[in-house]
Amino acid sequence: MASEDVKLLGAWPSPYVMRPRIALNIKSVNYEFLEEKFGSKSDLLLKSNPIYKKIPVFIHGEKPICESLIIVEYIDEVWNSGQFILPSDPHDRAIARFWATYIDDKWFPGIRAISRADGEEAKRKAVEEVIAGLVLLEDAFIKCSKGKSFFGGDKIGYLDIALGCFLGWLRVTEKMGNVTLLDVAKTPNLFKWAENFASDDAVKDVMPPTHKLMEFAKVLIAKLQAS
């Protein structure tokens, strides 16, 4: 199908929206980015994702696909020439999916818990849990990368996208919470990986600047507190 039939509904601060954007960049697919405004949902969004009513939504040939990692897999399967995003080996592919689920279900909620912690003790525990998760991911990186620059090897792959999309919000949490999460002493391989990921051509134009994300976070917190 022609790349001209590709649309992505999303918003620039969303790490989940970053995922298909990076995948599309890796595959060199042209697409139309339809920005959703914070606090409102377009008719197209509600029509395209009536179950969850959330971004991202990928529309290819008028057919919508929802959920960020499902979209990434779809992009990898449809545009199957050139670089592949998922590992070719079935075991490696299963391991990448396992860690991607861990990141979404357990690790990133810990990032949110830091900003929502009530008191210093709760914050300390939340920080410790996030760092413990990064230590686990450090070990996963060593095994998955096989000595190369990315989880996916020489180039960005599925697990790189799954974790890397959260780097902007990790940095915001570090600055706003006055904490260190990605520590070069504790997780040296992940620290270097983060630099490589953020500077990659497929990533750097869709990774929001930390200062811009911080301003958005302050506005978001103020609105939540007001409500």
Side-chain angles (χ1 to χ4, degrees):
M1 284 185 252
S3 61
E4 288 76 11
D5 296 330
V6 174
K7 298 180 178 67
L8 180 66
L9 305 183
W12 68 266
S14 169
Y16 302 102
V17 173
M18 267 191 68
R19 288 172 170 175
R21 297 188 79 182
I22 293 169
L24 289 164
N25 286 345
I26 288 172
K27 296 289 187 173
S28 300
V29 176
N30 294 320
Y31 65 99
E32 183 181 1
F33 185 59
L34 302 176
E35 185 89 23
E36 290 284 321
K37 293 182 179 179
F38 175 73
S40 65
K41 299 179 189 292
S42 70
D43 291 340
L44 182 58
L45 173 60
L46 296 174
K47 176 185 175 183
S48 302
N49 190 0
I51 306 300
Y52 292 111
K53 302 178 176 64
K54 65 180 183 180
I55 54 176
V57 175
F58 185 70
I59 303 175
H60 186 203
E62 306 302 323
K63 296 179 180 179
I65 300 99
C66 306
E67 295 299 301
S68 62
L69 290 176
I70 293 174
I71 296 170
V72 169
E73 294 198 30
Y74 177 86
I75 292 168
D76 197 35
E77 291 173 359
V78 171
W79 287 275
N80 56 12
S81 60
Q83 178 189 344
F84 281 99
I85 295 172
L86 274 89
S88 58
D89 179 80
H91 180 264
D92 291 345
R93 199 157 56 242
I95 294 300
R97 286 173 172 145
F98 169 85
W99 283 111
T101 299
Y102 168 80
I103 289 163
D104 280 0
D105 291 353
K106 190 168 179 64
W107 181 77
F108 186 60
I111 293 279
R112 290 172 171 163
I114 294 173
S115 60
R116 297 172 182 174
D118 185 11
E120 287 302 313
E121 180 62 17
K123 177 181 174 181
R124 182 187 65 79
K125 289 182 178 180
V127 168
E128 287 178 354
E129 288 184 9
V130 169
I131 293 174
L134 287 170
V135 171
L136 289 175
L137 289 165
E138 169 88 356
D139 185 60
F141 175 82
I142 292 169
K143 292 175 181 176
C144 293
S145 67
K146 300 178 175 68
K148 296 181 179 179
S149 297
F150 299 103
F151 283 95
D154 290 318
K155 296 181 179 180
I156 286 174
Y158 181 78
L159 191 48
D160 298 285
I161 294 172
L163 179 59
C165 70
F166 294 121
L167 284 175
W169 284 105
L170 182 145
R171 292 165 180 161
V172 167
T173 303
E174 287 181 324
K175 288 183 177 294
M176 294 185 71
N178 194 28
V179 295
T180 298
L181 300 173
L182 192 56
D183 189 338
V184 66
K186 294 179 180 178
T187 52
N189 291 283
L190 272 189
F191 191 90
K192 180 61 177 176
W193 163 83
E195 293 179 344
N196 291 333
F197 180 85
S199 62
D200 191 270
D201 287 342
V203 175
K204 59 187 180 182
D205 289 338
V206 296
M207 174 78 76
T210 303
H211 72 275
K212 189 177 179 182
L213 271 182
M214 282 186 66
E215 291 303 314
F216 175 81
K218 291 174 183 176
V219 172
L220 181 61
I221 291 169
K223 287 185 177 181
L224 292 174
Q225 289 173 342
S227 63

